[in-house]
Amino acid sequence: SIGTTKPVSEVKKMMEDNCNQHLKKMMNILIANPDIMTIAMTNDFPSTKYKNYQQILDDNKDNIKNDFPKVNNLRYHIEDINEEIASNSGVSAYFNIPTIDGDSIKQLRVNPKGNDINTIDTYTTVSHEGFPGHMYQYAYMYENVDSLYIKTLANVLAYTEGYATYAQYESLKYLDIDQEVLEVYKENELAIYSAIIVCDIGIHYEGWSIDKLKDYLSSVGLSLDEDSAKKQYYQLQANPVAFEPYYVGYYEIDLLKEEVLSIKRIKTEAGNIRYGLSSEKERRMHDDRAYCFAAFCYLLSQLRRKDALGGNDVKQDMSALYKHAPGQVSKAYKKKVNPFLGARNPFARRY
């Protein structure tokens, strides 16, 4: 799963738009802060204060307390990646997913040959794999969800990696580095990965050639020489849909957050109270993600209530959440044959 039911053409359009938006945001920051331009052009971003992986995890574990729900058991230990597969250019770290029915201490495997622990790249990788990423994600789930069935269903790549990608960018604010510089780092990275996904779709869905890949990347300011273009092309060709779960999943989670935060208490002209998007927000987004999330939270609360109080399994007709209460549906609405007649299609997307 890549985290969406959109057709491939819409995903491609979404990532093209995202790439352009990130480039625009980055350029706006650079125009307002010319001193950061050299950093961005040379990719010479400041170093962090960290000298080892444990310092990153311990700081993040403390820093996330005000931004993420409390988890009591955040015990962990760090273990080196096997010497046989470690390399100077290999992965910095990865989270070792615990067994579904286990309660073992969380484990972060790290590259003993890595010599760039103080880079922002390493910090975001450890944040992705550790706190507030996968290590926190699984600790929260194991502490709050007893059902092995739900744990299994939640282990979907677009959700797990999409959330961890979201978490790694959220964690940038904990660094003692100019936030404008970090915003440029974030926007640049998201623009690049959005462009990479467009290329991936182009290669596997539209049959792009190496020249077509070069032309597209050049059009968004990512020029590659012939050898680099070939390496990128063959890497994507050999690993289809490798990046989509991370970044399509990330964008869907970020949109969910935006929709949830945009829900307001609205008093109608008739004096009634409703909760929904403002008319301005309705023009460019829909609240379907927010309502699905609310329904999930309601069901989860019922499951927790059952665990806390005991008793029979929770039996809830979820369709009841979407039924109009008596008297709430107008006669004019009942007479409509086409539910979208004279109104905006509630299933329309903003892409």
Side-chain angles (χ1 to χ4, degrees):
S1 170
I2 67 168
T4 184
T5 57
K6 294 182 178 73
V8 177
S9 58
E10 286 190 25
V11 174
K12 182 171 180 276
K13 178 65 165 56
M14 177 176 73
M15 302 313 288
E16 288 173 337
D17 291 345
N18 286 339
C19 179
N20 292 330
Q21 289 169 10
H22 291 305
L23 289 173
K24 182 178 179 180
K25 289 179 183 177
M26 182 176 70
M27 290 308 300
N28 287 339
I29 296 172
L30 294 176
I31 291 171
N33 302 272
D35 52 314
I36 303 178
M37 182 69 76
T38 302
I39 295 174
M41 296 299 291
T42 60
N43 201 34
D44 187 22
F45 286 92
S47 299
T48 71
K49 65 181 180 180
Y50 298 110
K51 297 179 173 61
N52 58 61
Y53 297 106
Q54 184 171 344
Q55 290 176 344
I56 299 174
L57 286 175
D58 287 346
D59 269 9
N60 277 5
K61 184 165 71 169
D62 186 58
N63 288 331
I64 66 176
K65 291 178 181 178
N66 293 327
D67 299 316
F68 293 81
K70 180 181 178 181
V71 175
N72 293 316
N73 180 11
L74 289 179
R75 295 177 300 153
Y76 72 89
H77 74 271
I78 298 173
E79 186 171 326
D80 286 349
I81 295 172
N82 292 337
E83 189 73 19
E84 293 79 7
I85 61 175
S87 68
N88 293 328
S89 59
V91 63
S92 298
Y94 69 88
F95 175 60
N96 196 28
I97 299 174
T99 57
I100 292 175
D101 57 350
D103 59 356
S104 59
I105 296 175
K106 310 302 180 288
Q107 181 185 105
L108 186 73
R109 304 296 296 272
V110 299
N111 188 346
K113 295 184 178 180
N115 55 5
D116 57 353
I117 291 176
N118 65 344
T119 65
I120 298 175
D121 284 347
T122 297
Y123 173 81
T124 56
T125 298
V126 175
S127 297
H128 180 109
E129 302 295 339
F131 307 129
H134 289 313
M135 194 179 289
Y136 168 87
Q137 180 182 34
Y138 278 88
Y140 180 88
M141 180 171 65
Y142 279 45
E143 188 169 301
N144 290 279
V145 178
D146 291 330
S147 169
L148 302 184
Y149 178 67
I150 293 177
K151 289 179 184 178
T152 302
L153 289 179
N155 195 26
V156 175
L157 199 59
Y159 159 66
T160 56
E161 296 299 348
Y163 165 79
T165 301
Y166 166 83
Q168 78 181 54
Y169 292 124
E170 282 291 297
S171 69
L172 286 173
K173 65 184 178 184
Y174 304 135
L175 288 176
D176 189 20
I177 293 175
D178 185 343
Q179 289 298 308
E180 296 284 10
V181 172
L182 293 173
E183 194 66 18
V184 167
Y185 172 91
K186 171 187 172 181
E187 297 299 336
N188 180 63
E189 192 165 271
L190 286 173
I192 290 173
Y193 281 112
S194 296
I196 291 298
I197 291 174
V198 172
C199 293
D200 182 46
I201 294 173
I203 292 169
H204 295 285
Y205 189 70
E206 299 177 354
W208 281 13
S209 64
I210 294 175
D211 286 340
K212 178 65 176 176
L213 177 141
K214 284 181 62 179
D215 290 343
Y216 169 71
L217 291 178
S218 179
S219 72
V220 295
L222 300 172
S223 299
L224 297 178
D225 58 43
E226 190 67 24
D227 287 343
S228 298
K230 286 181 178 179
K231 288 179 181 178
Q232 185 66 74
Y233 184 91
Y234 293 133
Q235 182 190 43
L236 290 172
Q237 188 181 54
N239 300 279
V241 201
F243 294 98
E244 279 84 339
Y246 291 78
Y247 292 94
V248 176
Y250 161 77
Y251 285 115
E252 292 292 342
I253 289 173
D254 198 49
L255 286 170
L256 167 62
K257 176 184 176 181
E258 184 180 359
E259 288 180 358
V260 169
L261 293 177
S262 297
I263 298 292
K264 302 296 183 183
R265 183 178 184 271
I266 301 171
K267 189 173 184 178
T268 67
E269 293 181 358
N272 298 320
I273 300 297
R274 72 178 183 87
Y275 290 86
L277 297 173
S278 64
S279 57
E280 185 274 328
K281 295 285 187 181
E282 282 184 329
R283 296 189 187 99
R284 63 182 185 87
M285 68 172 66
H286 191 264
D287 52 15
D288 54 346
R289 295 181 189 84
Y291 285 126
C292 287
F293 181 66
F296 166 76
C297 290
Y298 175 75
L299 178 59
L300 185 59
S301 71
Q302 296 298 295
L303 292 171
R304 288 179 179 170
R305 184 173 183 272
K306 173 205 164 189
D307 291 336
L309 302 179
N312 298 324
D313 290 342
V314 175
K315 295 180 180 179
Q316 172 64 47
D317 178 10
M318 299 301 289
S319 65
L321 297 175
Y322 304 99
K323 292 178 180 177
H324 290 282
Q328 286 188 341
V329 182
S330 68
K331 293 180 179 179
Y333 184 87
K334 289 180 179 179
K335 291 180 180 178
K336 290 181 180 179
V337 176
N338 181 351
F340 304 138
L341 185 63
R344 182 176 60 83
N345 184 340
F347 300 107
R349 297 296 190 266
R350 60 176 181 169
Y351 306 111

